[in-house]
Amino acid sequence: MPLPLRSRHLFPSLPRVCCGFLSALLVLAAPVSQAAPSKSSKTSKSKKAKSSASKKPSAPEPAASPPEPEPAPAVEAKAAPEPAAEPKATEEPAPVVASKPALEAKAAPAPRSTPAPRSAPAARASSSAASATPGRMRIGVGPDLFLESSRMTGSQGINTSIRDESFDYSSAGFLSATAWLTTPVPSVSERLRVGGGLRIFGNYAAGGGRQFGFGVLNEVFASGEYGLPVADKTEVVFGGRAGLSFLVPGREFSAEINRLQEQGVSVWSVPRVGWLLGPSVGARRRMSERIWLRADVLAQAEQQYLFATSQEISGLDFSKNWSTLALRLGLSLGAEFSL
């Protein structure tokens, strides 16, 4: 009796064993279906569907688990577009590489626009700031020591009688003062300067064996000079001056004018005018940016007109002519200041 009972329970369990066996085969066949093309997976699916349709409806419940690997192809389909992103990655560097030369090409003109050439003139301007100051207007002042050899040429005539009143003399003084102003002439030469000045002798008188006072003597002149550099901050200066002299009558000369006026001679007490001319040579040294010291040796000739009158007085022909010619050799010391 126990035997028949076992056989009854054995046969009904066969379908379940077959289903479990088939499910195991499907699990093993899933990796193969993933590696196979999508067409083969479709055919395997159709075969599985047919096999599952031929079986009992209770069997598909365990067979529902094998279709889980099917989403794998979808992952592959999603992963497939990734190679398409590689061309984008390769295309993206292309414009970046192309843009870099463009930036370099734009940056290339930058050095040209830089004021490198202008910096050289700027450096020259700064280095020539010291040399620019010599080109400015300067004012100078200094004393003059001089020696003089002069002659007063004079005569006085009444009708046919002529009296010589000439005499030689040297100056009773030896000191004068000069102030001058010069400016450069860059259109001609950077080393050329022109200007003007004033020289004051004060009371000018003859000394030595013949004492005679002429009055206050002043000179106004135009000057020109050319500086030739010979050493550091030192230059040799070649110059010259020409101008007018003015004598304000005084002392014995003023007394002579008064005497003639009392006798009816038409002479004036106004300043007498003369001319002057002379070359010079010297040296000038730069002490600072705006100060120079100089020394010059000056030779000068000057003629002064004192009397030049001729008239008839009480039926008599009267004439009087006086003039002086002075030859001076002097040493001028001075300082110049740039304005």
Side-chain angles (χ1 to χ4, degrees):
M1 289 300 291
L3 246 134
L5 293 170
R6 288 178 184 174
S7 61
R8 287 177 184 176
H9 291 286
L10 177 63
F11 292 104
S13 63
L14 285 175
R16 294 180 180 178
V17 173
C18 292
C19 293
F21 183 74
L22 289 174
S23 63
L25 288 175
L26 290 173
V27 170
L28 293 174
V32 178
S33 64
Q34 291 177 1
S38 60
K39 292 181 180 180
S40 63
S41 64
K42 290 179 182 179
T43 55
S44 63
K45 287 179 183 179
S46 62
K47 289 178 181 179
K48 289 177 184 178
K50 290 179 181 179
S51 62
S52 61
S54 63
K55 296 177 184 178
K56 291 181 179 182
S58 60
E61 293 177 359
S65 59
E68 292 177 359
E70 289 179 3
V75 175
E76 291 180 357
K78 292 180 181 179
E82 291 180 359
E86 292 178 1
K88 293 181 180 178
T90 55
E91 291 176 358
E92 289 177 0
V96 174
V97 175
S99 63
K100 288 180 180 178
L103 293 174
E104 292 176 0
K106 293 179 181 179
R112 296 179 183 176
S113 63
T114 54
R118 296 179 183 177
S119 61
R124 291 178 184 174
S126 61
S127 64
S128 64
S131 63
T133 51
R136 296 176 181 173
M137 187 177 294
R138 300 180 195 167
I139 185 171
V141 63
D144 301 315
L145 304 174
F146 67 93
L147 298 175
E148 180 179 321
S149 177
S150 303
R151 178 175 177 82
M152 200 281 288
T153 302
S155 63
Q156 178 176 313
I158 300 174
N159 288 338
T160 58
S161 175
I162 298 175
R163 184 179 64 183
D164 187 9
E165 298 177 337
S166 303
F167 61 93
D168 297 330
Y169 69 94
S170 61
S171 175
F174 59 89
L175 185 62
S176 65
T178 304
W180 65 90
L181 181 70
T182 61
T183 186
V185 188
S187 59
V188 179
S189 174
E190 295 180 354
R191 299 175 181 176
L192 178 64
R193 304 183 69 86
V194 297
L198 172 67
R199 187 176 184 182
I200 300 174
F201 288 87
N203 287 319
Y204 178 69
R210 176 70 183 267
Q211 300 289 329
F212 190 89
F214 293 95
V216 178
L217 179 63
N218 300 313
E219 296 176 352
V220 177
F221 58 86
S223 64
E225 60 186 29
Y226 185 85
L228 183 63
V230 294
D232 185 22
K233 300 181 181 180
T234 305
E235 58 184 348
V236 176
V237 181
F238 301 93
R241 63 179 62 175
L244 300 175
S245 60
F246 299 91
L247 177 67
V248 179
R251 301 178 61 179
E252 283 81 4
F253 181 49
S254 180
E256 183 68 14
I257 293 173
N258 293 332
R259 185 185 68 83
L260 293 175
Q261 290 176 347
E262 291 175 357
Q263 295 178 358
V265 179
S266 299
V267 292
W268 294 346
S269 299
V270 298
R272 273 37 179 186
V273 180
W275 57 265
L276 63 97
L277 181 67
S280 66
V281 61
R284 177 167 51 205
R285 181 173 178 81
R286 180 178 177 178
M287 307 305 296
S288 68
E289 185 178 353
R290 294 180 178 271
I291 300 176
W292 290 260
L293 296 180
R294 65 182 297 171
D296 297 274
V297 177
L298 174 67
Q300 178 178 301
E302 177 182 309
Q303 187 168 21
Q304 196 76 34
Y305 299 102
L306 305 179
F307 290 119
T309 182
S310 178
Q311 67 182 94
E312 183 177 351
I313 303 173
S314 301
L316 300 175
D317 295 329
F318 179 84
S319 62
K320 192 171 185 72
N321 296 286
W322 277 13
S323 65
T324 61
L325 180 61
L327 301 177
R328 300 188 182 99
L329 181 64
L331 175 64
S332 177
L333 304 174
E336 291 182 337
F337 306 91
S338 178
L339 299 179

